[in-house]
Amino acid sequence: MRVFRRGEAPVKTTSSSSATEMECPYDVISQPGEYFVQSSEAMVCTWLFLTGPSAVVELEITELDYPCAEDSFVEFFDGVALQLGVFPTEAGHDLPVQERVNMVCNTGSRVLLSSQNVAMLTYQSPANGGAFRLIFKHKTIQAPCNIFSPDSSGAFTLSNFNKQKNCSFATIYPGYINVLHMAVGRETNEARLKCKGMTDMVQFAEGNSLELSKMNIEQRMCGRTGGKSPTGPEGAVPSPADALHGRDGTAASLVYKKRAQCTSGITIPLMCQMSVVRLVSSGQHDNSITFTFTRETGEKNECVSF
């Protein structure tokens, strides 16, 4: 499994194709459409594909023009592998990490589907180059769980849909979580900041890693706050088509339209490189939490090793 790195200058190639060319060594792509890459020399490229929170990534490989060998391959990863860890973590995904890797040469699979709104594709071309082409689609799902956000702000909802599973929101910025609505665990008219002995809760974590064991749990919450659940046409989660725009990974703000009326007044600062909201659910309750994330605009990073 390869790791996505940022900070290198893209390398451009040329083609008469009407499809959009993916940049190498890296690119972040959120606009559905047809894409290609071609090279005349050896290179390694990595791309992140992103959809809105209520959709998953579907990639259809339509053309392949490279030898399937040890030094030449296309690798699909269900999620994202950063230098700081993997999202979703193994505890938050139905499959172990090794089974989330799909080598297109080995399997011959031409349609690749993620389990959440982010997937990673790595291409290593041989010394004499190669090329391939794909179609990227946003596939809407009824019960989204994990959300990866490259944006610096927005509103998001996590829900277990009355099932026994853990769902997480993760972003690569320090910032502030403002809870708009929460209904987690036993029925109550108040939010509890101490959930000792509770099987259902929300964890607000910060760290310089995505591994929960290496993060600080800044706060745990359970109970209810924020009034009526924000669902329907005025809800916090827009359609996947409206959620993201631009192939550079810039996301449109997922604006909660009645934020002023429904804010709970609970704000949790998460001042490390990685910010995570994790909904832990036993399956005994229909849990959900809606919140905004606002990026810390300064150079503040108060993180320590945990």
Side-chain angles (χ1 to χ4, degrees):
M1 180 181 66
R2 276 66 190 174
V3 175
F4 181 77
R5 292 179 172 87
R6 300 178 295 170
E8 300 176 70
V11 176
K12 296 292 291 183
T13 59
T14 61
S15 173
S16 60
S17 170
S18 60
T20 304
E21 184 175 8
M22 296 185 290
E23 294 182 347
C24 190
Y26 73 93
D27 204 354
V28 180
I29 301 171
S30 59
Q31 184 66 38
E34 187 176 12
Y35 294 87
F36 77 96
V37 66
Q38 65 178 23
S39 65
S40 58
E41 59 185 8
M43 64 181 190
V44 178
C45 313
T46 302
W47 304 284
L48 292 187
F49 291 86
L50 287 157
T51 72
S54 299
V56 295
V57 174
E58 179 179 301
L59 301 179
E60 180 184 357
I61 309 296
T62 56
E63 294 181 22
L64 292 173
D65 184 15
Y66 62 89
C68 291
E70 184 176 347
D71 65 343
S72 176
F73 57 84
V74 173
E75 177 188 280
F76 175 84
F77 181 68
D78 184 7
V80 56
L82 302 171
Q83 292 173 282
L84 301 176
V86 170
F87 181 84
T89 63
E90 191 156 354
H93 199 282
D94 292 335
L95 297 175
V97 172
Q98 295 83 352
E99 294 183 24
R100 291 157 59 184
V101 178
N102 188 327
M103 302 294 291
V104 176
C105 280
N106 292 343
T107 65
S109 175
R110 295 299 181 95
V111 178
L112 307 165
L113 194 66
S114 72
S115 303
Q116 60 290 310
N117 74 318
V118 62
M120 188 174 79
L121 199 67
T122 301
Y123 169 56
Q124 180 168 314
S125 66
N128 59 348
F132 72 94
R133 185 181 300 263
L134 61 83
I135 297 174
F136 170 36
K137 299 178 182 178
H138 292 201
K139 184 174 181 179
T140 304
I141 56 175
Q142 298 301 313
C145 183
N146 295 305
I147 301 171
F148 181 80
S149 175
D151 200 9
S152 58
S153 63
F156 304 89
T157 295
L158 294 176
S159 175
N160 73 326
F161 296 94
N162 211 23
K163 295 181 180 180
Q164 182 180 358
K165 61 179 181 179
N166 301 326
C167 300
S168 296
F169 161 88
T171 187
I172 54 177
Y173 303 111
Y176 303 89
I177 301 292
N178 181 32
V179 179
L180 304 177
H181 169 267
M182 182 181 70
V184 177
R186 294 197 298 251
E187 288 287 341
T188 177
N189 293 325
E190 62 180 3
R192 298 173 181 267
L193 300 181
K194 294 184 179 179
C195 302
K196 186 175 181 180
M198 302 292 184
T199 56
D200 294 44
M201 69 183 73
V202 182
Q203 299 171 327
F204 301 88
E206 60 183 2
N208 290 331
S209 169
L210 278 171
E211 299 298 326
L212 197 64
S213 62
K214 299 178 181 179
M215 302 185 80
N216 174 49
I217 307 298
E218 177 70 19
Q219 189 60 261
R220 294 176 175 86
M221 287 178 58
C222 51
R224 183 177 298 272
T225 187
K228 186 178 179 181
S229 176
T231 57
E234 300 297 319
V237 181
S239 68
D242 296 333
L244 293 165
H245 65 83
R247 61 189 299 270
D248 61 352
T250 304
S253 295
L254 308 184
V255 179
Y256 179 58
K257 298 181 180 180
K258 293 187 176 179
R259 184 183 309 174
Q261 293 93 329
C262 294
T263 182
S264 69
I266 299 175
T267 300
I268 300 99
L270 301 174
M271 292 293 108
C272 295
Q273 187 171 351
M274 310 299 298
S275 301
V276 171
V277 179
R278 184 171 184 253
L279 178 63
V280 180
S281 302
S282 65
Q284 301 175 23
H285 308 280
D286 190 7
N287 298 327
S288 68
I289 179 170
T290 297
F291 56 90
T292 61
F293 174 80
T294 304
R295 180 181 177 179
E296 165 60 44
T297 56
E299 297 298 323
K300 187 182 294 186
N301 187 335
E302 300 175 355
C303 210
V304 296
S305 299
F306 301 110

